[in-house]
Amino acid sequence: MKAIKLAAMDIDGTLIGKNKILTGRTRKALTAAAAQGIHLVVASGRALQALPKDLIGIPGMEYVITSNGSSIFRLSDRKRIYAQDMMPDQVQKLLAFYKNYDCPMEAFICGVPYTSREYFERPGYFGAGPASVEYVRTTRQPVEDMRTFVEEHKNEIEGINFILRDMELKAVMRRQLETFDGLYVTSSVPRYLEISHGSVCKQSALAWLVQKLGILPEEVAAFGDGENDLEMIQYAGLGVAMGNAVSLLKQAADLIAPACDEDGAARVMEQLAEKRHIS
């Protein structure tokens, strides 16, 4: 196995647990890996503005893949160096679809997440735990009329989320959305149904960055726990699924780490910092 030169890491359920706290052990392991020359890259469904400051402030954290692969930002100057926004006609088709449903919607624009006021004010009603309630209220910009807002910004949408507490309704909506051409549909947590341009996923953005840096796929380690991490895990030379990961991710992974709440990612990163590969 080639030495690992880049680590791409999901956030929620991978680097931080339900309490939304980055542990000291994880911070130390990432810092040590960067000191050994390993490129650190966040790969998240979150928008840029919603990324934890203590995570992206770690020395050696260079790039962030956000909105499930719609964007790559260079952290040194917050410049968006890779962009795959939705097409205006795709956004309009989604808005037409949305007319049949009554659920909150989010839209990511240039790294900023906007959400329906009803979700901003009552995230717990839609399945957010106590820590996630605080996360929503400190990272989202509430909008009174998301339909009109999205229509007005249809030329700059990174991605759209529907927020659902009814899992049967989520399944119905997903089946319909998956019949639309040119869309990428995924779900990072149960209450989210996430839609992007069809060319988008964490893997496609990661592959672009890896090529830019002159790194081979087999020199990449990727860490994740959710469905939206699948393509990235399959792409990397070392695909690491957390112990708390969904089953399809564990099946695709080269290594199953301990759970996120057991500092599983940190344990693997400690080995990479020491030896640059996993025995």
Side-chain angles (χ1 to χ4, degrees):
M1 179 178 179
K2 287 185 176 290
I4 297 300
K5 295 182 179 179
L6 183 149
M9 302 156 290
D10 173 54
I11 298 178
D12 299 284
T14 301
L15 292 180
I16 64 173
K18 294 180 180 179
N19 60 9
K20 303 296 181 186
I21 294 173
L22 184 71
T23 68
R25 182 172 182 178
T26 300
R27 185 183 296 106
K28 183 178 179 181
L30 294 175
T31 301
Q36 293 301 315
I38 296 175
H39 295 277
L40 301 180
V41 179
V42 163
S44 177
R46 296 191 187 200
L48 177 65
Q49 184 171 288
L51 300 179
K53 291 181 174 58
D54 56 346
L55 174 61
I56 62 176
I58 289 174
M61 189 70 71
E62 302 172 89
Y63 303 95
V64 291
I65 295 169
T66 62
S67 305
N68 283 323
S70 296
S71 303
I72 301 176
F73 290 89
R74 185 171 56 211
L75 287 174
S76 60
D77 57 5
R78 297 297 180 101
K79 182 178 180 181
R80 192 183 186 201
I81 62 171
Y82 172 91
Q84 289 291 335
D85 290 337
M86 298 182 73
M87 301 296 291
D89 63 319
Q90 292 177 322
V91 175
Q92 291 183 314
K93 190 172 183 179
L94 273 181
L95 288 174
F97 166 83
Y98 184 50
K99 287 180 181 178
N100 299 315
Y101 298 98
D102 182 21
C103 62
M105 177 169 59
E106 294 188 327
F108 296 170
I109 300 172
C110 298
V112 180
Y114 298 87
T115 195
S116 302
R117 181 167 290 280
E118 63 178 313
Y119 179 55
F120 181 82
E121 293 182 345
R122 295 197 301 163
Y125 177 75
F126 294 94
S132 294
V133 167
E134 180 66 14
Y135 163 71
V136 170
R137 290 178 176 163
T138 55
T139 62
R140 266 53 179 168
Q141 300 294 320
V143 175
E144 297 295 341
D145 182 354
M146 280 295 294
R147 287 179 171 86
T148 299
F149 179 82
V150 170
E151 171 68 28
E152 291 172 348
H153 294 272
K154 61 179 180 258
N155 294 312
E156 48 184 343
I157 302 291
E158 293 179 73
I160 287 175
N161 294 345
F162 295 126
I163 313 298
L164 297 142
R165 63 190 182 97
D166 183 336
M167 294 300 101
E168 290 186 7
L169 177 60
K170 177 184 174 181
V172 168
M173 292 176 69
R174 180 165 189 166
R175 284 196 294 271
Q176 294 180 46
L177 288 168
E178 287 177 340
T179 67
F180 291 12
D181 290 334
L183 292 181
Y184 173 65
V185 182
T186 190
S187 179
S188 58
V189 295
R191 67 182 181 277
Y192 284 159
L193 189 55
E194 300 157 64
I195 305 101
S196 307
H197 188 283
S199 66
V200 163
C201 65
K202 292 183 182 183
Q203 179 270 327
S204 59
L206 178 59
W208 182 91
L209 182 60
V210 162
Q211 184 177 33
K212 176 181 173 64
L213 296 174
I215 295 171
L216 299 173
E218 53 264 41
E219 297 170 326
V220 174
F223 297 72
D225 74 301
E227 174 193 332
N228 61 333
D229 299 312
L230 179 62
E231 296 90 350
M232 178 174 74
I233 292 293
Q234 294 172 325
Y235 166 81
L238 177 64
V240 183
M242 310 308 297
N244 52 283
V246 296
S247 59
L248 82 167
L249 203 70
K250 290 180 178 179
Q251 294 169 9
D254 302 299
L255 174 69
I256 299 176
C260 174
D261 289 333
E262 298 172 8
D263 281 325
R267 296 186 190 196
V268 176
M269 290 301 299
E270 287 165 355
Q271 294 183 56
L272 292 178
E274 181 181 354
K275 299 184 293 186
R276 302 293 291 272
H277 63 84
I278 301 297
S279 303

